[in-house]
Amino acid sequence: MIAAKGFWDSFHELLSSYPWTAKRILRVLDEAPDMPRRNPFAYLMAAFVPYAGQGIGAAVGLIMYIYVVGILAAIAIPQYHMYVTRAMLAQAAAESQPARQQLAQYYLSEGAVPQTLKVAGIARHLPNGVELALNPHGMVLTVRAPSGALIFTPRRPGNGGPIMWTCTGGAGVTPQELGPTCH
């Protein structure tokens, strides 16, 4: 008779309160059994799973489990925050695109920078809490989203081509949070 030597059998023996039960039964059934060794990967996995037994083994397993979860949280939470901020800023940039086009059209047709957004026919508030502000000195458009601000500065090539917008982050917005829409 051959005893099971798979990963899950070894893992169960390491975590249960009655280890080696299968091997004890094997000895009862066979006088000279071929005793299997535990799977080495089971030792590795058992180190990260809290032991449901008693004493110091349970505490060590629980502390190891808390450490692993804590390390994963320390990595994941800031990354998630940056992802959400990047997504909100990208959405704000996309929602402000028509306003930038309208400002450029106004400048090209009138030959002057509008003094206010209202003069150019642009609403000050966009969906999702996005607010626009225009600095008439240089036609700089600031897009304030709940997660930060984007600053769009126009530039026009010397040959009189179309107006292009350069995007930068406002106060508190890191380069990683800008994403591909503002690079």
Side-chain angles (χ1 to χ4, degrees), residues 71-97:
I71 290 170
L72 291 176
I75 294 169
I77 291 172
Q79 290 298 318
Y80 175 75
H81 174 70
M82 186 174 24
Y83 169 78
V84 169
T85 302
R86 186 182 306 151
M88 291 176 90
L89 290 176
Q91 184 176 7
E95 288 177 357
S96 68
Q97 178 64 29

Side-chain angles (χ1 to χ4, degrees), residues 103 106-107 110-116 119-120 134-140 154:
L103 283 172
Y106 183 92
Y107 179 79
E110 301 293 324
V113 175
Q115 293 302 306
T116 65
V119 170
L134 177 67
N135 180 352
H137 303 289
M139 200 165 71
V140 176

Side-chain angles (χ1 to χ4, degrees), residues 4-121:
K5 52 184 165 191
F7 169 80
W8 292 112
D9 294 325
S10 300
F11 186 66
H12 176 71
E13 284 182 358
L14 289 168
L15 294 181
S16 66
S17 60
Y18 48 91
W20 302 96
T21 303
K23 292 179 182 179
R24 288 180 188 164
I25 292 171
L26 184 62
R27 284 203 175 127
V28 169
L29 297 175
D30 190 358
E31 290 182 17
D34 179 22
M35 295 304 253
R37 297 180 57 185
R38 288 186 180 151
N39 188 310
F41 294 114
Y43 283 105
L44 178 66
M45 288 300 294
F48 295 105
V49 176
Y51 175 66
Q54 301 173 356
I56 197 162
V60 170
L62 183 60
I63 289 171
M64 295 266 304
Y65 183 72
I66 290 170
Y67 284 160
V68 169
V69 170
I71 290 170
L72 291 176
I75 294 169
I77 291 172
Q79 290 298 318
Y80 175 75
H81 174 70
M82 186 174 24
Y83 169 78
V84 169
T85 302
R86 186 182 306 151
M88 291 176 90
L89 290 176
Q91 184 176 7
E95 288 177 357
S96 68
Q97 178 64 29
R100 292 193 307 270
Q101 288 175 342
Q102 238 174 313
L103 283 172
Q105 276 183 327
Y106 183 92
Y107 179 79
L108 293 174
S109 66
E110 301 293 324
V113 175
Q115 293 302 306
T116 65
L117 291 170
K118 190 174 184 179
V119 170

